[in-house]
Amino acid sequence: KAGVTQTPRYLIKTRGQQVTLSCSPISGHRSVSWYQQTPGQGLQFLFEYFSETQRNKGNFPGRFSGRQFSNSRSEMNVSTLELGDSALYLCASIRGDTFGSGTRLTVV
Amino acid sequence: ILNVEQSPQSLHVQEGDSTNFTCSFPSSNFYALHWYRWETAKSPEALFVMTLNGDEKKKGRISATLNTKEGYSYLYIKGSQPEDSATYLCAYPSGGSYIPTFGRGTSLIVHP
């Protein structure tokens, strides 16, 4: 079966811009969770979606938002990018059961 | 903010050595404890989900134990191999809402 697919793999954005990342969970899985990994903070939980509804949210500012579509694909959006948003963004199926390869975001 | 501590921060062992490391978490309101292996340039790989006090799980040469009363879990690797080199993370989603707090990980390097 196909794994968790994240696109794009790499992204470079300028401060103040916004960015949208995409995640498709394993076929048939309805739960998607998002995480941010930085050298300073380690791996942190962003939010979780289940059947198009946000089920849980971590301690991140409102600039970080997400949504899930009826086919379970999820998008994460970060508005007004800051340098500190440079990170590896991971998504996972079923609460961390299987992770995608991640999107490496660099904000310059 | 929950405190999830992992020790040691890093570990260098020789091939064939057995090793273990610790994840400490708040003992109240326990829900589950996850262990992951994260190799460089790869995605985190789920190893174990521990849910019951006294749980012991095994996957090949890797095993884990859980003590929810005192708030710790041990991960053991028997006969370490170079391919075991990775960062081992634990994650603690407290009861009530599934918001996992991750430890900073133990970086294991196994020298041939």
Side-chain angles (χ1 to χ4, degrees):
Chain A
K1 60 182 178 184
V4 178
T5 305
Q6 288 189 250
T7 57
R9 289 294 305 275
Y10 302 93
L11 207 47
I12 300 176
K13 288 286 188 179
T14 305
R15 261 184 310 177
Q17 286 187 313
Q18 74 162 10
V19 67
T20 300
L21 313 181
S22 177
C23 171
S24 293
I26 291 171
S27 178
H29 289 189
R30 288 154 59 190
S31 168
V32 172
S33 48
W34 287 90
Y35 307 81
Q36 180 198 64
Q37 201 263 346
T38 60
Q41 299 295 323
L43 194 57
Q44 293 184 282
F45 172 82
L46 277 157
F47 29 63
E48 178 196 8
Y49 284 86
F50 181 83
S51 293
E52 303 178 63
T53 301
Q54 188 180 86
R55 192 153 64 170
N56 287 296
K57 188 176 194 304
N59 190 27
F60 279 81
R63 299 185 298 106
F64 290 81
S65 63
R67 58 178 176 169
Q68 187 179 31
F69 302 95
S70 58
N71 62 357
S72 292
R73 187 177 72 85
S74 177
E75 287 182 347
M76 190 194 91
N77 185 275
V78 188
S79 62
T80 321
L81 284 165
E82 301 176 359
L83 295 179
D85 298 333
S86 294
L88 176 68
Y89 291 89
L90 291 163
C91 78
S93 258
I94 309 188
R95 293 181 163 180
D97 177 55
T98 306
F99 282 82
S101 300
T103 295
R104 172 76 62 184
L105 171 66
T106 302
V107 182
V108 297
Chain B
I1 296 175
L2 295 176
N3 206 20
V4 179
E5 301 283 348
Q6 288 190 250
S7 62
Q9 190 175 347
S10 65
L11 203 49
H12 289 250
V13 301
Q14 291 297 126
E15 183 175 354
D17 287 350
S18 293
T19 187
N20 66 86
F21 21 94
T22 308
C23 173
S24 302
F25 50 86
S27 56
S28 60
N29 205 21
F30 179 82
Y31 179 71
L33 192 283
H34 296 250
W35 279 103
Y36 296 93
R37 173 168 59 200
W38 197 351
E39 294 178 67
T40 304
K42 293 189 178 179
S43 310
E45 174 197 353
L47 287 174
F48 305 113
V49 181
M50 319 286 287
T51 54
L52 295 174
N53 185 42
D55 246 0
E56 181 169 347
K57 299 210 172 177
K58 193 172 178 184
K59 186 175 182 177
R61 294 178 292 97
I62 304 177
S63 60
T65 60
L66 178 69
N67 184 323
T68 60
K69 294 189 191 317
E70 296 182 38
Y72 65 83
S73 177
Y74 292 141
L75 191 79
Y76 301 91
I77 302 179
K78 185 177 176 182
S80 303
Q81 299 296 309
E83 57 265 31
D84 296 328
S85 297
T87 295
Y88 291 83
L89 286 170
C90 65
Y92 177 71
S94 65
S97 62
Y98 184 85
I99 298 180
T101 299
F102 287 83
R104 297 306 298 269
T106 292
S107 172
L108 174 67
I109 297 173
V110 182
H111 299 278

